[in-house]
Amino acid sequence: FFFQSLVLVSRLPYVNLFQSLLQLIAPEYFDKLEPCLEAVCNEIDQWPPPVPGQTLNLPVMGVVIQVRIPSRVDKPGSSPVKQFNQENLLPAPLVLPSIHELDLFRCFQPVLIHIQMLWELMLLGEPIVVMAPSPTVSSEMVLALTSCLAPLRYCCDYRPYFTIHDSEFKEYTTRTQAPPNIVVGVTNPFFIKTLQHWPHILRVGELRMSGDLPKQVKVKKLAKLKTLDTKPGIYTSYKTFLHKDKTLIKRLLKGIQRKRPSEVQSALLRRHLLELTQSFIIPLEHYIASLMPLQRAITPWKNPPQIRPFRQDDFMKTLEHAGPQLTCVLKGDWLGLYRRFFKSPNFDGWYRQRHKEMTQKLEALHLEAICEANIVAWMKDKSEVEIVDLVLKLREKLVRARCQHLPVKEETLQRVSLYIETIIGSLPEDLQAVLHHH
């Protein structure tokens, strides 16, 4: 038989939009081929750039797709559907509830009672295989899993659809080393055999529409993984640190009985996961903020003081008074969960990002301290070498502030520029020429 595919390549993670787009274009393309694609590309070329926070109307093939581009200031867990303005567009636009978020409830339906376990496995960056009946289900499940840690960034690798032709195939199937920190989605039953040594395997069936709750998959021992008759289930020996949240399941079940729309169910689930992640991360944020030097320790003529090191034991001591129990009702071994988290790439990624932000903040405060200083008084008893050294250092700071987009007011940067000119002006002419030349 003859096999044809239409592939959309983009650097934007707008899976929902692109999925809808392909559903419109593909049938036409297979029918009419190249001319249809040319027309579509011309239309897409006219689309405005995606600006955060804007609602866009995107015409394609006689349909207008209406989407809102997410922005950093959006409240996590709020549903953007309500924010649409239905301008009197004809034909009525196809409104997408979200440009990038999947229907979480539909994806997680068969595993709702294990959502706690899956969240922990993702938080700890554990190696997981998702075995699914089709590339669509495999991709949706992997993307749903990687999105369930928001607002914490998932810092491990993930492959929504992995095949035996992939260049990493050998590396992932070898038994001589532990599997990498990655979530892999596969459909080929051959993987049941070759990935048997992976610690966590999630086998799912076809995802249905979210009208009824399908049978919940069971947690089974890895040894039960048989090649051909593998039933849907989570094959793992992992024991969760936290207890299950029964109230969430009850609310979602009630929602199914009341025929609550899928996006509302998804929003409930997303909010639950968000609150869980925030309860876990807030104590870490409090502790890392306490490592920042005091503002009065920042003086203009010395390098800014260092951020104090992150000591895991010190952090653990803070949990007694300011731990997740303040914001989360879930009981369990939170301390054990933090200890495991410290070994994961997600902790490493979070810590590096925060450290970078704090370092930039220190740089910005230092520049402001220099602006407030009396530079003329400082220069009185300094040698030419010290003064030239200061000019070079200040210049370097300015370049860095602009390159790294440090959180500094523009007027502060201009005042530092002026300072540099003033200092250079006070030096002998030959030195002035050298410095201006540089």
Side-chain angles (χ1 to χ4, degrees):
F1 62 91
F2 178 58
F3 187 77
Q4 241 182 340
S5 300
L6 179 63
V7 180
L8 187 150
V9 181
S10 168
R11 56 191 178 79
L12 297 166
Y14 299 156
V15 281
N16 244 5
L17 169 64
F18 297 142
Q19 190 73 36
S20 311
L21 194 56
L22 283 173
Q23 277 163 352
L24 287 171
I25 303 167
E28 284 286 305
Y29 164 69
F30 294 137
D31 199 24
K32 306 190 177 117
L33 301 177
E34 303 301 312
C36 149
L37 219 47
E38 204 170 314
V40 164
C41 289
N42 281 333
E43 283 188 290
I44 293 176
D45 281 343
Q46 306 300 312
W47 286 3
V51 176
Q54 269 188 5
T55 297
L56 304 179
N57 296 310
L58 311 173
V60 64
M61 290 176 50
V63 180
V64 173
I65 305 178
Q66 192 175 67
V67 292
R68 182 178 178 280
I69 306 296
S71 139
R72 193 178 277 182
V73 295
D74 290 354
K75 280 199 173 60
S78 70
S79 160
V81 188
K82 301 179 204 58
Q83 300 155 348
F84 278 133
N85 49 340
Q86 293 285 344
E87 301 154 27
N88 301 323
L89 290 168
L90 289 167
L94 167 66
V95 179
L96 296 189
S98 164
I99 197 168
H100 65 299
E101 287 179 344
L102 298 153
D103 182 339
L104 258 204
F105 180 65
R106 195 172 69 90
C107 294
F108 284 150
Q109 271 189 104
V111 292
L112 274 180
I113 58 171
H114 309 300
I115 204 79
Q116 186 68 46
M117 174 191 274
L118 292 169
W119 176 83
E120 283 187 23
L121 291 175
M122 295 307 291
L123 180 74
L124 303 173
E126 285 284 315
I128 303 177
V129 183
V130 173
M131 291 183 176
S134 69
T136 309
V137 175
S138 144
S139 306
E140 285 193 350
M141 193 54 127
V142 171
L143 291 171
L145 284 169
T146 54
S147 75
C148 76
L149 289 186
L152 187 65
R153 194 159 154 226
Y154 179 69
C155 296
C156 309
D157 194 2
Y158 56 97
R159 302 298 174 84
Y161 177 49
F162 185 80
T163 70
I164 56 175
H165 307 292
D166 198 286
S167 54
E168 263 97 351
F169 176 74
K170 256 201 169 64
E171 183 195 330
Y172 295 172
T173 49
T174 175
R175 297 183 175 231
T176 51
Q177 58 195 53
N181 300 83
I182 182 173
V183 183
V184 179
V186 300
T187 57
N188 191 332
F190 175 67
F191 280 112
I192 297 178
K193 206 173 180 142
T194 50
L195 297 178
Q196 257 175 352
H197 60 295
W198 279 51
H200 320 286
I201 294 171
L202 169 57
R203 178 80 196 251
V204 283
E206 272 301 339
L207 297 178
R208 308 196 205 138
M209 284 322 287
S210 18
D212 56 341
L213 191 64
K215 212 161 87 210
Q216 294 294 294
V217 307
K218 293 191 165 62
V219 175
K220 308 177 180 183
K221 290 275 177 286
L222 261 170
K224 290 245 167 49
L225 197 67
K226 296 270 193 307
T227 311
L228 287 167
D229 59 341
T230 300
K231 306 232 176 347
I234 299 178
Y235 294 82
T236 178
S237 54
Y238 180 81
K239 295 274 175 285
T240 54
F241 286 92
L242 307 179
H243 307 321
K244 265 184 197 153
D245 189 341
K246 301 252 170 51
T247 48
L248 171 78
I249 315 293
K250 281 184 188 142
R251 280 179 76 185
L252 293 170
L253 284 171
K254 199 170 272 174
I256 293 174
Q257 286 161 3
R258 294 187 177 158
K259 304 213 172 353
R260 204 184 276 148
S262 189
E263 20 313 354
V264 182
Q265 293 277 74
S266 275
L268 272 175
L269 189 51
R270 209 175 281 284
R271 185 152 313 134
H272 166 79
L273 290 167
L274 175 83
E275 285 167 4
L276 187 55
T277 303
Q278 283 177 328
S279 294
F280 182 81
I281 217 78
I282 285 168
L284 285 160
E285 297 283 2
H286 279 320
Y287 174 71
I288 202 165
S290 73
L291 304 177
M292 184 82 167
L294 295 173
Q295 200 154 343
R296 62 166 180 268
I298 301 169
T299 56
W301 315 121
K302 282 197 191 118
N303 281 333
Q306 295 287 302
I307 297 161
R308 290 195 298 286
F310 190 107
R311 298 195 200 285
Q312 293 176 13
D313 293 344
D314 290 354
F315 165 72
M316 295 303 240
K317 283 178 199 143
T318 66
L319 292 176
E320 214 173 304
H321 314 291
Q325 71 278 3
L326 298 183
T327 50
C328 187
V329 292
L330 284 193
K331 298 277 181 282
D333 180 11
W334 286 94
L335 296 178
L337 190 59
Y338 281 113
R339 280 196 198 94
R340 273 285 282 278
F341 176 67
F342 288 140
K343 300 190 179 90
S344 82
N346 290 330
F347 169 68
D348 193 52
W350 170 82
Y351 177 70
R352 279 166 194 258
Q353 179 59 28
R354 283 294 175 270
H355 199 274
K356 182 178 153 197
E357 286 164 9
M358 286 160 73
T359 310
Q360 291 184 341
K361 179 86 181 123
L362 275 176
E363 276 280 311
L365 289 169
H366 194 220
L367 275 171
E368 277 162 24
I370 289 168
C371 269
E372 301 304 315
N374 183 342
I375 231 154
V376 182
W378 178 84
M379 279 164 49
K380 274 206 179 92
D381 53 348
K382 298 291 182 287
S383 66
E384 277 174 11
V385 175
E386 287 173 293
I387 293 173
V388 169
D389 187 47
L390 176 70
V391 168
L392 297 176
K393 271 192 181 144
L394 285 180
R395 264 193 189 160
E396 192 190 336
K397 272 186 170 303
L398 265 187
V399 171
R400 217 171 32 232
R402 292 207 190 280
C403 290
Q404 295 180 0
H405 304 293
L406 292 187
V408 190
K409 294 189 204 76
E410 184 54 40
E411 60 195 272
T412 304
L413 297 178
Q414 282 168 355
R415 279 175 70 184
V416 174
S417 284
L418 208 64
Y419 268 6
I420 294 173
E421 291 309 313
T422 312
I423 301 169
I424 292 177
S426 71
L427 291 166
E429 275 178 19
D430 54 339
L431 273 178
Q432 280 190 38
V434 172
L435 286 171
H436 278 308
H437 181 66
H438 273 291

